Amino acid sequence: ILQCYNHEATKSLGHVTVVVVGGTGDLARKYLWQGFFQLYADQVGKGHTFSFYGGGLSPTEKGTPLLFGILKELACPPELSVERCDLVKDQFLHLSKYHQLKTTEDYEKLSQQIKQQLEQEGMVEAGRLFYLSVPAFAYADIAEKINNTCRPPSDAWLRVVLEKPFGHDLYSAQALDKKLSGQLKEEEMYRIDHYLGKQVVSKILPFRKENKKLLDPIWNKHHIERIEIVLKETLDAKGRIQFYDQYGVIRDVLQNHLTEVMTLMLMNLPANLSNSKEILQNKLNFLASLQHVDNSNAVVGQYQAYNEEVQEELNKTKDYFSLTPTFAGVVVHVDNAQYEGIPIFMTSGKALDERVSYARVLFKSDVFCVQDPNNVQCKSKQIIFYLGHGTLQYPAILLSKNLFKPKLASSGDWKEVTEYKDVNVLGLPLSDYYIQSPVTPREAYCELISHVFFGRKDSFISAEGLLASWEFWTPLLEGLSRVFPRVYPGGVANGNLLNFQLQGHQVAFSHEAVVNVIKPGAEDNFQVMQGKYRSSEMVSAWAQELVERLASDLLLAAEEAIHEEGQFHLALSGGSSPVALLRALALNLYTFPWRNTHIWQVDERCVPHTESGSNFRSIHDLLLQHIRIPYFNIHPMPVHLTQRLCVEEDGGPTLYEKEIKKHVNGSSFHYILIGVGQDGHTASLFQDTKLENDEERLVILTESPIKPHQRMSLTFTAINRARRVGVLIMGKSKHELVSQLSRIKGESSKYPITKVQPKSGTLIWYIDYDALLG
């Protein structure tokens, strides 16, 4: 059983009112009430009196039994005897009450009730502690209600505890801070990061201070090889998708927990560890010294079942793809003389092989062992701040014995561990470490609730520190917003799929993803149906399975072409049709032979390639920036020449046609992928497109009935010369079109797609069940 630490602090007599807003919620049930009960058990009889309110949206008759159902299950602090605990628990229950907190009137009634109790019992008010265990969007409204109706007298304190998330980027954090600071003073707000309540984390600065003489000579770039800060979880996000899909692993873990640990490890030591202002300033100075991070400094992943969980819990359609990462690996560098060049590996993820959290400082080896490599002096030199779980199972600070023996603080709350289990921790057996561990394990929320009671601000996040952290992480988050995470199966099956490495300052996965090519005859496993449509082959399936089949067919076509000719020429259309395919290629087919593949465009809008409306920009963002393809193998349509867009005299179509003839054997693409618009157009060939005088042309300028009107497109001549043409049709909105086309035999001027009839190649229709069945 975890217990609170009995902090020694100067106490003044008076009554303290504790209000847990969201007092019957999950966090309150698991952690908060246990923390407040242990605070009461620690403080009872020491001068303060208490009253506890569980606040919620439910009316009193519904909320009261919920609250007392939680309170009756509270565990006794181990330092209390059974008889003493029964007495203290009865007192705690007697002092606790449910109060509906929904409207301003509810908060006014609460304030009146507190005042009435104080007057009736003749008590002096010491302060009021509000713990907001509610979603962040409710903070500003509740803060306003507290400010307007529930403030204590000026000689009593007010402390309001806020749970993360504090915004989802710099701009939202600034907006939230502005709203809150209009109602509450900074000294009244306690932004909680429960990692700062973990005993090992709170010991980092004291440990550095206690061992300063021994650490100072080696705590720099000349001796430190790398730093690793890790939080691995075996659990998935199921049941939390509504929250998690808005935030992802970087916002949920790296921006707060791991950043705080990094800061405590590397910030300048304060002269006085009890000086909150000095600690805050040193934290800000360190955060300001971090080098800018972008996509090249990070890799992201997503466990395989996540997207289905999103579709289920958020009621998304089968063709919906979430880009929210559930795994991230980021390498950070510090721009100062002490730590310059030291890579700081930060990583966290869900559905990994084990649950463990630690921060490791690995030192450079300066010993060459001629014999006996198992000698302790020949092994890794490292300091590990081990937060728990994993092979060790308990929180500890470990130093390899080839460094030095650390000092043990005289406070008596930490001990040296001398009995070793037969396990290894990060490459070394326990017997090769000096180990210090807390005498009594304590739960993080219990610690932090105690710190709030005593007004210790150094264990909480300041507004300046919060905004400085968001300022560092927001550019990376913006850069990753359109990056497709690598899919991983989850658990031990991940193997080496998520290993990442540093090349210079750039980060990349160490291994290519394994591709599952769908073999002929295995279609049933993916609910794939084959048949005929308009006298040609048809493949149909649910959206995700259909895209996987098309991606697999493309891979097989590429391998065949490269085997025969040494290269694969693929032309992709614009619009919404290929989006899911491009995502699938970027996500899964890391073994696609990109080095021998040429990417061409079927059509392009007459806008600069840098604009979001450009088809090439879409291909770039969805695919090209995620794969390794030679620059010379990319062939965008030349719509922007001599600072003009699609002007006939500039000869853009002729230039593209010459390029096709130069690279593509017989101007016959190996594969052309096209879609179909609601009006039956394909590529940028519309019902009114005049082609009579351009029968031998491969590329022309066309006019679209919708903006942007000007387009460049391959002609039917070019499309029908292809070895294979794939037509991808997805979504219920295309059902009526699919039905209409099925009734048309041969060509129809009303539906340009009917003119796609490869002369000697193969036409395959890929139609998802929504489009086929409606």
Side-chain angles (χ1 to χ4, degrees), residues 11-30:
K11 308 175 187 68
S12 60
L13 297 173
H15 187 77
V16 176
T17 303
V18 173
V19 183
V20 182
V21 185
T24 56
D26 194 50
L27 182 68
R29 177 179 60 82
K30 287 181 178 177

Side-chain angles (χ1 to χ4, degrees), residues 30-264:
K30 287 181 178 177
Y31 300 110
L32 303 186
W33 285 116
Q34 186 67 49
F36 282 115
F37 174 47
Q38 293 180 330
L39 173 69
Y40 176 71
D42 185 49
Q43 295 302 316
V44 66
K46 294 184 179 178
H48 283 102
T49 55
F50 292 85
S51 55
F52 298 90
Y53 292 90
L57 299 176
S58 302
T60 303
E61 60 272 15
K62 186 177 179 182
T64 298
L66 287 175
L67 177 64
F68 281 89
I70 295 170
L71 299 185
K72 287 174 183 177
E73 296 299 317
L74 295 175
C76 291
E79 73 272 10
L80 297 183
S81 66
V82 175
E83 296 79 10
R84 174 66 175 163
C85 180
D86 288 342
L87 176 63
V88 172
K89 192 170 181 179
D90 284 343
Q91 291 174 340
F92 185 75
L93 292 174
H94 178 72
L95 297 171
S96 301
K97 187 175 182 179
Y98 180 84
H99 199 291
Q100 184 176 24
L101 291 176
K102 192 173 184 179
T103 66
T104 301
E105 291 72 27
D106 293 331
Y107 282 83
E108 288 173 345
K109 288 178 184 177
L110 173 64
S111 186
Q112 288 300 320
Q113 195 166 326
I114 294 169
K115 289 177 184 176
Q116 189 176 348
Q117 181 189 5
L118 291 166
E119 290 170 2
Q120 287 177 348
E121 300 184 21
M123 295 184 292
V124 175
E125 185 163 19
R128 300 181 188 180
L129 192 163
F130 285 82
Y131 199 117
L132 306 195
S133 179
V134 296
F137 65 77
Y139 287 169
D141 178 60
I142 294 173
E144 184 178 6
K145 290 183 172 76
I146 293 171
N147 181 43
N148 292 338
T149 65
C150 280
R151 277 195 171 276
S154 58
D155 56 347
W157 50 257
L158 172 66
R159 291 168 190 158
V160 180
V161 184
L162 305 161
E163 279 280 345
K164 78 175 182 74
F166 312 113
H168 60 270
D169 57 19
L170 175 61
Y171 318 108
S172 58
Q174 287 172 328
L176 178 61
D177 179 60
K178 187 175 181 181
K179 289 178 182 177
L180 291 175
S181 61
Q183 307 297 332
L184 301 170
K185 300 172 186 174
E186 177 62 22
E187 60 265 26
E188 295 172 336
M189 288 186 274
Y190 288 70
R191 298 174 192 82
I192 201 166
D193 181 337
H194 78 272
Y195 250 56
L196 292 178
K198 289 184 177 290
Q199 289 166 290
V200 170
V201 175
S202 60
K203 182 68 172 175
I204 292 175
L205 285 183
F207 175 84
R208 290 179 59 195
K209 189 85 169 179
E210 292 155 8
N211 296 281
K212 189 175 185 301
K213 286 186 178 180
L214 296 166
L215 283 175
D216 273 357
I218 61 172
W219 209 251
N220 55 62
K221 64 184 179 183
H222 301 297
H223 294 271
I224 296 175
E225 180 179 309
R226 62 197 275 171
I227 294 169
E228 301 166 1
I229 307 173
V230 176
L231 194 168
K232 293 167 64 176
E233 298 181 83
T234 54
L235 293 175
D236 55 23
K238 201 169 185 178
R240 292 183 66 225
I241 296 292
Q242 192 163 13
F243 162 81
Y244 198 87
D245 202 54
Q246 298 178 59
Y247 289 89
V249 67
I250 295 178
R251 291 181 173 93
D252 191 39
V253 176
L254 275 74
Q255 178 271 329
N256 37 68
H257 303 331
L258 302 196
T259 299
E260 286 296 324
V261 172
M262 173 178 66
T263 303
L264 291 170

Side-chain angles (χ1 to χ4, degrees), residues 454-471:
F454 288 111
R456 282 187 50 182
K457 292 282 285 183
D458 56 299
S459 299
F460 299 87
I461 310 298
S462 68
E464 289 177 284
L466 173 68
L467 297 179
S469 177
W470 275 123
E471 188 172 7

